[in-house]
Amino acid sequence: MNERGLKGLESRMRLLEAAAAEFARNGFHETKISTIVKKVGLTQPSFYIYFSSKEAIFEELISEFHSNLKKLIESKRLEDNLEHMDLSNRLAEIVENVFLFLKKDPNLTRIGFSLNPKADDLIADLTIILKNNLTTEQQFGYFRPEIDMEIVAKCISAVILHLSFIYVIPGIKDTKSLSLQLVDLFLQGMLNEND
Amino acid sequence: MNERGLKGLESRMRLLEAAAAEFARNGFHETKISTIVKKVGLTQPSFYIYFSSKEAIFEELISEFHSNLKKLIESKRLEDNLEHMDLSNRLAEIVENVFLFLKKDPNLTRIGFSLNPKADDLIADLTIILKNNLTTEQQFGYFRPEIDMEIVAKCISAVILHLSFIYVIPGIKDTKSLSLQLVDLFLQGMLNEND
DNA sequence: GTGAAAAGATACTCACGAGTAATATTACTT
DNA sequence: AAGTAATATTACTCGTGAGTATCTTTTCAC
């Protein structure tokens, strides 16, 4: 790769960015190549120098999101053995990390979770990992044994995603306090002690 | 309205049904009038006897779902004064009713919540009602006073919707036991008593 | 039975947007 | 300065699918 390639890579990157913004705002079919290309200051045929089709650039964005997310998950795995924190703070920190990740690139997040036809599979993947972690904690006796951790994992996934879209990405709520509130809610429940 | 209109109404209804199935499966833009019409056994121009455009039939489906949902909510309002049941069962029954409603017409549910561009507003509406109910219970002392009921309401909405799509609509889980588990989780939390 | 309106079919138009062929320009190497 | 590959443009094609103009068939009222 010599110096010549620099401008091309730059164009490619700008196309990816513009496409992400357009897809996130308008969805796949409502997004036109002509619009993407106009935002970048190029013409239609230039697009096809860098991407073989509209599907191709969309797939690339999705797989970028997918691999970023995988990276996050892997890194969380490594912290499994951090036993020096109490359960509540450990969980809150993980939740906050997910929030921060989803907030980092809102366009990709929207594409990866709302537009991606395989979003359900992706969520299911995450849920499985979450379930495994929770089940381990349960076996250690932290959680009530009668709870079905599969359901809990699905609930937590749904909540994190939804709150990301309505609170975190718009920047309405602080991720730290939101994470703590969430963990508190799921751990302690809503009921008042003095019933 | 004389007898002559009967066949027409029939065709209209069948178009609505076929359209709902197609939209639910493929989304708005991927759904072709030609496909809808073929399923019903009509030709393209007949479609335009009953609906002015593709948007029109889509809007009609959405507003049908919307008004059905409103009806459900209103009917739940009336049961506010049923104080003879304990809190847990009352909540579980409401949750189950929502599950059953969403399961009743899966196509409409998918259109109303996944495809509807105003789905967020719809969810927000429901969340507000839920929040108000929960806040009332909180003021009666049932729930811990430090909990932010806005967040709880959003969590519960997200959970109900997500579980509907993955468990209830596919018929994987029984609505009754699922509702009870959910309410138990949110009321009691996950923590084991003997920590 | 006949007229009229509803219901539907045939055979189009038309816009739009993805993708291409051929050509020009830029910029770097030697 | 000349050659060359990367980068970009002008000027198209072409399929698709929404929507329409016009004609035919059905169905009921009288």
Side-chain angles (χ1 to χ4, degrees):
Chain A
M1 171 71 51
N2 51 24
E3 297 298 307
R4 258 186 271 179
L6 268 182
K7 207 172 173 189
L9 278 179
E10 166 84 14
S11 292
R12 213 188 118 90
M13 260 179 48
R14 297 182 63 206
L15 282 171
L16 276 169
E17 271 173 45
E22 283 301 305
F23 283 135
R25 180 179 308 274
N26 305 320
F28 181 78
H29 271 269
E30 291 81 350
T31 293
K32 325 290 177 199
I33 306 281
S34 55
T35 310
I36 296 172
V37 131
K38 205 169 288 170
K39 278 179 91 175
V40 174
L42 291 176
T43 55
Q44 228 120 337
S46 304
F47 176 89
Y48 294 92
I49 295 172
Y50 302 106
F51 305 98
S52 64
S53 69
K54 190 176 161 186
E55 270 79 16
I57 194 172
F58 187 72
E59 289 299 325
E60 184 161 333
L61 288 169
I62 282 183
S63 91
E64 184 186 341
F65 179 72
H66 200 281
S67 80
N68 287 350
L69 194 53
K70 274 273 151 74
K71 254 181 261 169
L72 177 78
I73 304 286
E74 301 304 323
S75 79
K76 286 307 119 187
R77 268 272 174 68
L78 298 176
E79 299 178 48
D80 272 355
N81 44 2
L82 281 182
E83 294 283 355
H84 58 274
M85 270 194 273
D86 69 287
L87 183 66
S88 179
N89 280 324
R90 240 172 66 227
L91 291 175
E93 204 179 286
I94 292 178
V95 170
E96 195 190 358
N97 273 311
V98 176
F99 277 150
L100 290 174
F101 170 82
L102 297 177
K103 184 192 176 76
K104 203 171 47 189
D105 196 331
N107 289 338
L108 275 192
T109 299
R110 177 145 269 126
I111 292 171
F113 279 126
S114 303
L115 271 50
N116 184 359
K118 289 181 185 164
D120 288 346
D121 298 347
L122 187 52
I123 297 173
D125 273 4
L126 301 183
T127 305
I128 287 171
I129 294 170
L130 185 55
K131 178 194 168 185
N132 289 341
N133 288 341
L134 290 173
T135 305
T136 306
E137 314 273 14
Q138 190 180 33
Q139 281 157 357
F140 277 123
Y142 292 115
F143 302 139
R144 291 153 57 206
E146 70 270 24
I147 295 183
D148 180 349
M149 283 305 170
E150 169 112 12
I151 291 180
V152 175
K154 306 228 187 222
C155 289
I156 293 177
S157 305
V159 163
I160 289 179
L161 268 187
H162 190 235
L163 295 189
S164 289
F165 282 122
I166 64 176
Y167 281 146
V168 177
I169 291 178
I172 292 173
K173 290 225 185 270
D174 173 52
T175 54
K176 187 114 203 156
S177 70
L178 191 58
S179 313
L180 285 170
Q181 282 180 80
L182 270 190
V183 169
D184 174 67
L185 173 64
F186 275 94
L187 289 186
Q188 309 283 342
M190 297 164 67
L191 275 191
N192 215 332
E193 307 300 319
N194 40 323
D195 57 346
Chain B
M1 170 71 52
N2 52 24
E3 295 300 306
R4 256 187 274 179
L6 267 181
K7 205 171 172 190
L9 278 179
E10 167 83 16
S11 291
R12 213 188 117 90
M13 260 179 47
R14 299 182 62 205
L15 283 170
L16 276 169
E17 271 172 46
E22 284 300 306
F23 283 135
R25 181 180 306 274
N26 306 321
F28 181 78
H29 271 268
E30 292 81 351
T31 292
K32 327 288 178 199
I33 305 281
S34 55
T35 310
I36 296 172
V37 131
K38 206 169 289 173
K39 278 177 94 175
V40 174
L42 292 177
T43 54
Q44 227 122 335
S46 306
F47 177 88
Y48 294 92
I49 295 172
Y50 302 106
F51 305 97
S52 64
S53 68
K54 188 176 161 185
E55 270 81 15
I57 194 172
F58 187 72
E59 289 298 325
E60 185 161 331
L61 288 169
I62 282 183
S63 90
E64 184 186 340
F65 179 73
H66 200 282
S67 78
N68 287 350
L69 194 54
K70 275 272 150 76
K71 253 182 263 171
L72 176 79
I73 304 285
E74 301 305 323
S75 79
K76 285 307 120 189
R77 268 270 173 70
L78 297 175
E79 299 179 48
D80 272 356
N81 45 2
L82 278 181
E83 294 283 358
H84 59 275
M85 269 194 272
D86 69 287
L87 184 64
S88 179
N89 281 322
R90 241 173 63 227
L91 291 174
E93 204 179 285
I94 292 178
V95 171
E96 195 190 358
N97 273 309
V98 177
F99 277 150
L100 291 173
F101 170 82
L102 297 177
K103 185 192 175 76
K104 204 171 47 188
D105 196 332
N107 289 339
L108 276 192
T109 299
R110 177 145 269 127
I111 292 170
F113 279 126
S114 303
L115 272 51
N116 184 0
K118 288 181 186 164
D120 289 345
D121 298 347
L122 186 53
I123 297 173
D125 274 4
L126 301 183
T127 306
I128 287 171
I129 294 170
L130 185 56
K131 178 195 169 186
N132 289 341
N133 287 341
L134 290 173
T135 306
T136 305
E137 314 273 15
Q138 189 180 35
Q139 280 156 0
F140 277 123
Y142 291 116
F143 302 140
R144 290 191 283 143
E146 70 270 24
I147 294 183
D148 180 348
M149 283 306 169
E150 169 112 11
I151 292 180
V152 175
K154 306 230 186 220
C155 289
I156 294 177
S157 304
V159 164
I160 290 179
L161 268 186
H162 190 235
L163 295 190
S164 289
F165 282 122
I166 64 175
Y167 281 147
V168 176
I169 291 179
I172 292 172
K173 290 223 185 270
D174 172 52
T175 55
K176 186 115 204 157
S177 70
L178 191 58
S179 314
L180 286 170
Q181 283 180 81
L182 270 191
V183 169
D184 174 67
L185 174 63
F186 275 95
L187 290 186
Q188 310 282 345
M190 296 164 67
L191 276 190
N192 216 329
E193 307 300 319
N194 40 323
D195 58 347

